[in-house]
Amino acid sequence: MKIKSADLETVCGITSQLPENTLPEVAFAGKSNVGKSSLINAVLNRKALARTSAQPGKTQTINFYNVNKEIYLVDLPGYGYAKASKSEVEKWGEMIERYLDTSEMLRCVFLLVDIRHDPGEHDKQMYEWIDYMGYQPIVICTKADKINRSQMDKHLKAIRKGLGADEDTIIIPFSSVTKQGLEDIWDFMDQVIENEKEEDK
């Protein structure tokens, strides 16, 4: 995929109505400190379209980026932020659930986990939730540049086991620094666009 244009088109808060988009959507979910904003900036080929922050838990809205006027990249609120109040956490969870349950254009969900750590309880719940909602999660293991290449397979196996993911689940090591895995994500987005065009014929 060649990124010709990328615009933040819609921002939905807790009480906002979700947009009725006519283009296919791919969503990105992950813990609040997993490097989601850095990944999205890399995918969109922009330096700071998605705001990165030293303080996790900043993404408290659902953000819709229109890419090439062909597909939406949907940034879901980061979950598992320890300093957030229980009521805030519940509201973010409700937002994500409402989106996964009601979007008619959602075609693919990427789940981000930190390659350096075994998946936490929130990661496992999100994986199961995405699966329950009828989507096959594609797992992106961020911060792949932080581990030795010789350790890569061991970490990927630990993440597959920790999530309870089956052998068919696609797991992509990714680094916003080296851009490892970026082409794979673009390929999935291209695939979604092509499938949509085929269905529209």
Side-chain angles (χ1 to χ4, degrees), residues 3-8 44-46 49 65-69:
I3 306 296
K4 300 172 197 142
S5 65
D7 302 292
L8 177 56
L44 298 178
N45 201 21
R46 297 291 186 274
L49 192 53
Y65 297 90
N66 187 323
V67 184
N68 295 348
K69 298 185 168 49

Side-chain angles (χ1 to χ4, degrees), residues 18-167:
L18 292 166
E20 293 180 11
N21 291 327
T22 55
L23 297 174
E25 299 167 0
V26 294
F28 290 76
K31 269 202 299 208
S32 52
N33 58 350
V34 77
K36 187 152 53 67
S37 296
S38 298
L39 177 140
I40 287 170
N41 284 327
V43 170
L44 298 178
N45 201 21
R46 297 291 186 274
K47 281 209 168 74
L49 192 53
R51 283 173 306 203
T52 57
S53 171
Q55 182 186 354
K58 280 291 184 188
T59 308
Q60 299 173 14
T61 53
I62 300 178
N63 300 331
F64 291 80
Y65 297 90
N66 187 323
V67 184
N68 295 348
K69 298 185 168 49
E70 289 184 307
I71 191 168
Y72 283 100
L73 186 159
V74 184
D75 181 10
L76 298 174
Y79 57 82
Y81 180 44
K83 289 185 183 174
S85 69
K86 192 179 175 189
S87 62
E88 277 182 312
V89 170
E90 284 172 0
K91 282 174 185 171
W92 298 343
E94 284 166 15
M95 281 171 73
I96 296 170
E97 183 175 17
R98 180 162 62 105
Y99 171 70
L100 292 177
D101 198 31
T102 62
S103 171
E104 295 191 1
M105 299 308 293
L106 179 60
R107 301 292 181 259
C108 174
V109 184
F110 295 95
L111 175 62
L112 280 60
V113 295
D114 189 325
I115 198 166
R116 299 170 299 174
H117 309 298
D118 287 348
E121 198 54 43
H122 289 111
D123 297 315
K124 286 186 254 187
Q125 285 173 357
M126 182 56 74
Y127 179 87
E128 289 166 5
W129 200 3
I130 295 166
D131 187 53
Y132 175 75
M133 290 290 185
Y135 300 97
Q136 174 69 58
I138 296 170
V139 179
I140 301 177
C141 298
T142 61
K143 309 185 184 185
D145 56 290
K146 306 276 190 190
I147 61 166
N148 293 329
R149 284 190 172 274
S150 61
Q151 297 290 304
M152 184 75 71
D153 281 349
K154 185 180 96 170
H155 283 266
L156 294 177
K157 278 179 186 167
I159 283 166
R160 188 181 294 278
K161 184 180 178 186
L163 290 173
D166 57 34
E167 287 302 314

